[in-house]
């Protein structure tokens, strides 16, 4: 029986908002679908100030391409690099092919499925007309409650998302509904690659047609170029519903009583005959979320005297909720999840573990495995990518779409640290469930990845060793691809990945390829500045702690995120101390702070680990809705890798790792911290 009161733990961090702040909207969702309203519980306000979070309706399947989008990326001319005896082409140079290059970047793009709003008469609601707004997101049941006054009369809206369907259900109550002064409005934009996924000006570029299927049950068919989908709307049959259609792509529904209920479903191609009611959806949501909170792991700091403990607990609980609705669906997530577009809605595979790996350690492995199945669907294209570049095995893309197509970029194609990620995921799953089923499910992906990794490492005849790069851009992306040689983090990840793949070969009783063992035995050591006994960003980076001291301090993650079997602990400690002194912290990203905390925990410095985890820094800010805002960035008003990385770090710090021998080894003993956890799985 759980010793932590899960309901109390979760509910004491329900986000409660007074008034309206467009930087901190609350969302409901299920991992594959997210609805983000404003303080009315719907998307009633039209303005989105720059740098704030748009109110969108998004799904994992909702991708669109402009009609002039190229159908074949192979027409892009590659930039050729000589890599040993290979000539390897990368889609990194737009010169003379700018239009094709940019079009491949923005297509396909995720789009906003539609806007669901309250409307006063025939006019959109204005922020100035809404008073005494109050919202609470009930995390334990997934219900969003919104209350406000309009024309001095009370309005309440309850918003829930169905746990299995791309559907929101609403219960709205106000005298204004009975008086015909308030209605439910649904409207549709044309798709856009921009942050809000919406082009409201292109009214003639798409089609919306409504059909009444039966009483109070409607279907709106949408067509945008080659993209089509349907929206079903259902109202209680015992109510009279009046429809007004004044503009293209917009319908308003008015009821005949103070209470108006509706369910709204978005689907690609299914034929639907009925929708769950609000009451049914509310029940399904409550069951789903209670199971989520009670069957997964939990961490409580209740009783701690350190004043930061309650804030850290708040960040954890809200990060669990946000990653569940935004990051743990059927596809790897984009960095802004299903809230709004970042990088056109495409997802960055190097970020996948920072979003999702935490769920394995928090005893929710099935949620992660939904997106890992996607790797199998693109395995052949990953093998084709490797083959086109002259390599064996499977080379995974970096910035990609549901079909696994890589995107051209001056940086992205040079990155390689996403390659071992599938081995990392598979190993975490196997540690939790060392079964033949897990081995069978992931062995092919693990081995195809390892084949590429072993072939990617170059033999340097002059020094009699295997090296990584050039061309290569490390996780710390401010390095030249033609100058980077043997970055510390990538070297250690390569070593760990191949060692783990060998362990998998032995588990399935297959012969270990000699090349894998040879690469491990003769892989370059992580580069050290012998004068100061500090690790370098890469072998040629003598200014690691000077001009290069910005962006991700990824050299630290070779001992933290990774167990760092070849890392010298004293040297890593010296390196961390220099990062604390010399690094430009404002240039870091949200996931860097938890990743650094993992390193400090492994170094046996729990006080410093907590301090860095809660450091007051622009990109380590967690808003009232739980989102990790990236400073003043207008492109990233939220950043979910920060939330996922926080949960990964907490799992390690509270649950321990291989070789740790105390309870909650990443937290200071005493000193105001009382750490209670249950259900966490130990880290590598």
């Amino acid at each position: 029986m759980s010793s932590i009161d899960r309901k109390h733990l979760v509910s004491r961090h329900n986000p409660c908002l007074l008034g309206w702040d467009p930087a901190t909207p609350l969302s409901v969702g299920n991992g594959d679908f997210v609805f983000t309203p404003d303080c009315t519980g719907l998307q009633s306000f039209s303005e989105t100030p720059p740098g704030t979070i748009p109110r969108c309706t998004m799904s994992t399947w909702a991708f669109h391409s402009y009609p002039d989008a190229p159908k074949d990326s192979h027409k892009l001319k590659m930039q050729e690099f000589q890599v040993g005896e290979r000539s390897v082409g990368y889609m990194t140079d737009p010169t003379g092919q700018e239009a094709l290059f940019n079009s491949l970047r923005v297509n396909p793009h995720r789009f906003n499925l539609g806007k669901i709003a309250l409307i006063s008469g025939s006019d959109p609601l204005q922020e100035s007309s809404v008073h005494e707004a109050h919202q609470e997101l009930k995390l334990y049941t997934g219900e969003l409650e919104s209350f406000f006054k309009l024309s001095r009369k009370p309005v309440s809206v309850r918003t829930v998302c169905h746990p299995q369907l791309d559907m929101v259900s609403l219960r709205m109550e106000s005298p204004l509904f009975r008086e015909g002064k308030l209605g439910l409005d649904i409207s549709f934009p044309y798709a856009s690659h921009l942050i809000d996924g919406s082009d409201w000006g292109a009214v003639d570029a798409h089609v919306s047609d409504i059909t009444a299927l039966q009483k109070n049950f409607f279907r709106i068919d949408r067509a945008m170029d080659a993209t089509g989908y349907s929206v079903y709307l259902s109202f209680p049959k015992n109510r009279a519903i009046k429809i007004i259609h004044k503009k293209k792509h917009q319908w308003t529904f008015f009821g005949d009583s103070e209470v108006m209920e509706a369910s709204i479903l978005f689907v690609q191609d299914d034929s639907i005959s009925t929708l769950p009611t609000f009451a049914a959806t509310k029940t399904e949501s409550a069951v789903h979320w209670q199971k989520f909170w009670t069957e997964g792991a939990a961490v409580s700091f209740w009783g701690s005297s350190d004043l930061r403990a309650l804030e850290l607990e708040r960040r954890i609980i809200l990060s669990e909720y946000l990653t569940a609705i935004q990051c743990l669906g059927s596809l790897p997530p984009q960095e802004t999840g299903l809230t709004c577009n970042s990088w056109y809605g495409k997802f960055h595979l190097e970020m996948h573990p920072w979003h999702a790996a935490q769920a394995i350690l928090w005893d929710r492995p099935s949620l992660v495995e939904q997106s890992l199945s996607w790797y199998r669907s693109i395995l052949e294209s990953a093998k084709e990518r490797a083959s086109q570049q002259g390599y064996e095995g499977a080379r995974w893309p970096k910035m990609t779409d549901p079909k696994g197509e890589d995107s051209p970029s001056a940086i992205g194609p040079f990155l390689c640290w996403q390659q071992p990620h599938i081995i990392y995921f598979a190993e975490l799953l196997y540690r939790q469930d060392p079964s033949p089923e897990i081995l069978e499910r992931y062995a092919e992906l693990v081995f195809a990845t390892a084949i590429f990794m072993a072939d990617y490492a170059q033999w340097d005849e002059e020094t009699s060793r295997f090296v990584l790069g050039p061309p290569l851009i490390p996780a710390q992306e401010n390095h030249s691809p033609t100058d980077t040689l043997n970055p510390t983090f990538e070297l250690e990840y390569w070593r760990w990945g191949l060692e783990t793949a060998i362990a998998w070969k032995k588990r399935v009783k297959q012969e270990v390829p000699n090349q894998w063992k040879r690469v491990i035995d003769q892989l370059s050591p992580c580069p050290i500045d012998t004068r100061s006994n500090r690790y370098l960003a890469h072998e040629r980076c003598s200014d690691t702690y000077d001009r290069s001291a910005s962006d991700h301090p990824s050299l630290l993650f070779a001992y933290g995120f990774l167990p760092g079997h070849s890392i010298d602990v004293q040297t890593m400690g010296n390196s961390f101390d220099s990062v604390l002194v010399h690094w430009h912290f404002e240039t870091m990203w949200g996931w860097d702070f938890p990743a650094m905390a993992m390193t400090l925990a492994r170094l046996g410095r729990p006080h410093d680990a907590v301090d860095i985890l809660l450091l007051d820094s622009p990109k380590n800010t967690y808003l009232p809705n739980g989102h990790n805002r990236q400073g003043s960035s207008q492109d990233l008003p939220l950043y979910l890798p920060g939330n996922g990385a926080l949960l990964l770090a907490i799992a390690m710090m509270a649950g321990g790792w291989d070789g740790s021998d105390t309870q909650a080894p990443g937290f200071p003993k005493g000193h105001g911290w009382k750490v209670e956890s249950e259900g966490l799985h130990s880290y590598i």
Side-chain angles (χ1 to χ4, degrees), residues 379-436:
L379 177 58
E380 292 309 312
S381 69
K383 289 180 177 179
E384 182 182 351
R385 179 178 299 104
S387 177
Q388 289 171 348
Q389 296 178 343
Y391 295 110
E392 297 180 348
R395 183 168 194 172
W396 305 107
K398 190 275 188 195
M399 172 178 160
T400 187
D401 60 26
K403 293 184 178 179
E405 293 285 343
D406 218 342
S407 298
S409 165
I411 294 175
F414 289 124
L415 267 63
C416 69
W417 67 285
Q418 73 272 26
Q419 300 307 321
H421 283 349
I422 191 63
I423 301 177
Y424 171 82
F425 276 118
E427 182 65 9
L428 290 183
L429 288 166
Y430 182 78
R431 286 165 59 90
Q432 182 172 338
D433 177 18
S435 66

Side-chain angles (χ1 to χ4, degrees), residues 266-574:
F266 299 82
V267 294
Q268 277 187 291
D269 51 19
D270 289 345
S271 179
I272 306 297
S273 59
T274 185
L275 296 186
T277 63
F278 170 80
T281 304
K282 179 180 176 179
T283 298
E284 290 282 346
S285 176
V287 170
H288 168 80
W289 284 107
Q290 288 171 23
K291 181 179 179 181
F292 175 85
W293 293 115
T294 56
E295 294 187 1
V299 175
S300 171
F301 302 124
W302 192 252
S304 297
S305 59
D306 191 306
L307 297 179
R308 301 172 297 173
L310 191 63
E311 168 59 15
L312 181 55
E313 193 181 88
R314 181 189 77 89
R315 295 183 183 188
I316 292 169
I317 294 298
L318 292 179
S319 293
E320 286 184 84
Y321 175 79
L322 289 171
T323 54
I325 70 170
Q326 307 268 6
C327 304
L328 298 174
S330 56
L331 290 178
Q334 62 170 325
E335 297 186 18
T336 49
L338 293 167
T339 300
C340 59
N341 276 347
S342 53
W343 288 278
Y344 324 116
K346 296 184 180 182
F347 32 97
H348 292 182
L349 284 197
E350 85 277 16
M351 288 293 99
H352 196 189
W354 299 109
H355 287 276
Q358 46 83 17
I360 303 173
L361 301 176
W362 286 77
D363 203 24
R364 300 177 179 120
S366 62
L367 298 182
V368 180
E369 289 198 84
Q370 294 181 97
S371 59
L372 296 187
S373 64
W374 173 82
Y375 286 82
R376 284 191 288 275
S377 74
I378 69 157
L379 177 58
E380 292 309 312
S381 69
K383 289 180 177 179
E384 182 182 351
R385 179 178 299 104
S387 177
Q388 289 171 348
Q389 296 178 343
Y391 295 110
E392 297 180 348
R395 183 168 194 172
W396 305 107
K398 190 275 188 195
M399 172 178 160
T400 187
D401 60 26
K403 293 184 178 179
E405 293 285 343
D406 218 342
S407 298
S409 165
I411 294 175
F414 289 124
L415 267 63
C416 69
W417 67 285
Q418 73 272 26
Q419 300 307 321
H421 283 349
I422 191 63
I423 301 177
Y424 171 82
F425 276 118
E427 182 65 9
L428 290 183
L429 288 166
Y430 182 78
R431 286 165 59 90
Q432 182 172 338
D433 177 18
S435 66
E437 290 77 18
I438 291 293
L439 292 173
E440 182 179 358
R441 197 174 301 158
Y442 294 104
E444 183 181 15
L445 298 176
V446 168
F447 299 151
T449 301
I451 290 169
F452 168 78
M453 291 172 62
D455 202 23
Y456 178 83
Q458 304 174 48
W459 177 253
D460 184 348
E461 195 69 46
E462 184 177 342
T463 58
S464 298
R465 59 178 181 158
F466 284 99
V467 300
L468 298 182
L472 184 158
I473 292 180
Q476 184 189 8
E477 295 180 5
N478 59 352
H479 295 281
S480 166
T482 55
D483 188 52
T484 300
L485 176 67
N486 287 331
T488 293
F489 173 60
E490 280 75 4
L491 273 176
E492 190 62 21
Y493 206 5
W494 235 248
R495 184 175 289 107
W496 179 88
L498 287 173
E499 288 173 347
T500 304
I502 287 176
W504 274 64
K505 279 287 186 182
K506 294 177 179 178
R507 289 167 187 165
V508 298
K509 296 179 172 53
Q510 291 183 11
E511 185 177 351
V512 176
N514 289 329
Q515 180 67 2
W516 297 8
K517 294 186 288 186
R518 181 170 175 251
V519 171
I520 291 173
D521 291 341
Q522 297 178 273
L523 189 63
S524 300
C526 294
I528 296 174
D529 180 348
T530 55
R531 296 168 301 175
S532 60
N533 194 29
R534 300 177 298 184
Y535 284 106
L536 298 173
H538 65 83
E539 195 168 302
R540 295 172 177 170
C541 190
S542 59
D543 63 355
T544 294
Y545 302 94
D546 186 10
R547 287 177 296 177
S548 295
S550 61
D551 198 46
H552 308 295
S554 58
L555 63 95
L556 302 178
F557 309 153
Y559 189 69
F561 175 75
L562 298 175
H565 296 147
S566 74
I567 295 297
D568 180 79
V569 175
Q570 182 61 52
T571 304
M572 183 57 74
N574 295 340

